[in-house]
Amino acid sequence: MDFGVAVPNYGDGTSAEKLRAWAQAVERLGFEYAMVTDHVTQPAQVRQVYDEDFFEAFASLSFLSAVTSRIRIGTTVVVLPLRHPLLTARAAATVDRLSGGRMVFGVGVGGSSDEYASLGVDFSRRGAMTDEYLAAITRMWAGDWSFEGEFLRFDDLLPGPAPARPGGPPIWVGGASDAALRRAARFGAAWHPTFPTLEALATGKRKLAELAEAEGRDTPEVAPRITLTITEKAVPVDERPLGVGNPEQIREDLSRLEELGSSAVIVDPVKHRFIYGRLGIAQAALPSGQQDGTELATIEQLANEIADIPARAPRL
């Protein structure tokens, strides 16, 4: 099982220097992935979670690719219907080329109706749009010059730039709904649920295997994103999210994820209020920006003391 980090491309004081420090620390510690989050606009619904500066995802990845040499970079996840798919295909392929084939294309439908409304996009059709946009993007990456669907039509367009790898970057499908599982099975993409429980992962993986068999495909890989807060004392089991607890609890979480067949796990050390607000632990006392300055130290502790990530990683 590989390890990655959700690098905060948002927050008070977000800057080139901060992104560089994060990317280089994650690579130095032996993690396999550095992933960024995506929002296009920040209406009231989005500000309930991200009420701060938010750097654009593909621009952030271009920067990360320039200050690293080995680590894979990607989105966790890009909200696919909020950008024109021709632009998204070009942006992702450009990052893939500039990074030497290190791009991971994580996609999802998003959950903010206000964000859709601010961009004039129909929130009620987001699932169908995501499926069609993903089909168009993968067709372009395969070299097709034309496409016709319900939402998108183009003809005789040069499908460039070509990604670094034939067929394009690996695709990770976010979300925990049945529609997300069907999407992952249909496109042969990894399933990338955010902050799942072990029970939800096990149930989802069983459904995914059935859907993939119906599509005549192998069961996709599973690569969840979990939160990460390391405490001195054990956290009560009731409502404890994966990745929150003392070192022994987190080792057990990672062991269970590996037993479930996860190919990768992305850890998120930012203490998001929507997760921690209901927990009676010290880390629930958050600054307004949700980052308290301990995040890099937390991933270093995970790497060196809990998961022994440097021993797993290739030499730079």
Side-chain angles (χ1 to χ4, degrees):
M1 185 170 72
D2 293 327
F3 291 85
V5 176
V7 171
N9 55 317
Y10 52 84
D12 297 337
T14 298
S15 64
E17 291 73 20
K18 187 174 180 180
L19 282 177
R20 181 184 293 108
W22 268 90
Q24 293 178 345
V26 169
E27 185 167 70
R28 171 179 56 81
L29 290 167
F31 287 91
E32 190 67 21
Y33 300 92
M35 312 283 281
V36 299
T37 306
D38 179 51
H39 279 287
V40 179
T41 66
Q42 289 172 271
Q45 283 180 334
V46 175
R47 292 199 307 275
Q48 292 175 12
V49 181
Y50 300 104
D51 57 348
E52 51 208 347
D53 286 346
F54 208 113
F55 282 14
E56 200 280 327
F58 291 111
S60 298
L61 290 178
S62 291
F63 181 83
L64 295 185
S65 76
V67 298
T68 58
S69 60
R70 175 192 61 81
I71 200 164
R72 287 184 270 183
I73 56 177
T75 48
T76 175
V77 290
V78 64
V79 185
L80 201 56
L82 298 186
R83 296 175 179 82
H84 196 286
L86 295 176
L87 174 62
T88 301
R90 175 159 292 190
T94 298
V95 171
D96 195 44
R97 288 276 291 276
L98 292 175
S99 66
R102 293 187 282 137
M103 173 78 187
V104 175
F105 188 50
V107 302
V109 301
S112 171
S113 57
D114 285 356
E115 187 168 19
Y116 274 76
S118 71
L119 294 162
V121 181
D122 186 352
F123 183 72
S124 69
R125 302 302 312 280
R126 64 194 186 281
M129 292 176 72
T130 296
D131 288 337
E132 185 170 305
Y133 284 11
L134 194 53
I137 289 168
T138 54
R139 289 266 297 274
M140 283 197 70
W141 287 345
D144 285 353
W145 294 59
S146 303
F147 182 87
E148 182 170 353
E150 179 182 358
F151 307 101
L152 177 68
R153 293 174 179 82
F154 59 86
D155 185 55
D156 195 26
L157 297 182
L158 180 65
R165 288 160 291 183
I171 298 169
W172 290 12
V173 170
S177 67
D178 287 347
L181 293 170
R182 287 194 296 270
R183 190 169 297 122
R186 175 186 171 191
F187 288 95
W191 178 41
H192 180 54
T194 301
F195 310 129
T197 64
L198 286 170
E199 293 75 15
L201 273 176
T203 299
K205 186 175 180 181
R206 287 194 296 271
K207 291 181 180 179
L208 193 60
E210 295 170 359
L211 291 165
E213 184 177 7
E215 293 281 347
R217 290 181 175 272
D218 294 335
T219 301
E221 295 182 345
V222 178
R225 173 175 168 176
I226 67 171
T227 192
L228 178 65
T229 292
I230 305 170
T231 61
E232 291 185 8
K233 296 181 180 180
V235 172
V237 172
D238 290 348
E239 297 190 15
R240 182 181 73 86
L242 283 169
V244 175
N246 66 9
E248 290 73 22
Q249 289 177 305
I250 293 174
R251 285 191 195 97
E252 176 64 19
D253 289 342
L254 298 178
S255 177
R256 294 288 300 277
L257 288 171
E258 196 158 24
E259 289 171 3
L260 280 172
S262 299
S263 60
V265 58
I266 307 301
V267 298
D268 185 346
V270 174
K271 299 175 181 65
H272 301 285
R273 285 190 294 272
F274 71 93
I275 296 175
Y276 289 90
R278 68 179 186 273
L279 300 177
I281 60 176
Q283 282 72 17
L286 304 176
S288 61
Q290 303 186 75
Q291 299 180 50
D292 61 8
T294 65
E295 291 83 13
L296 279 174
T298 297
I299 66 167
E300 186 155 7
Q301 184 179 0
L302 174 74
N304 292 328
E305 300 177 19
I306 297 176
D308 197 20
I309 291 171
R312 300 168 176 252
R315 296 289 182 183
L316 294 181

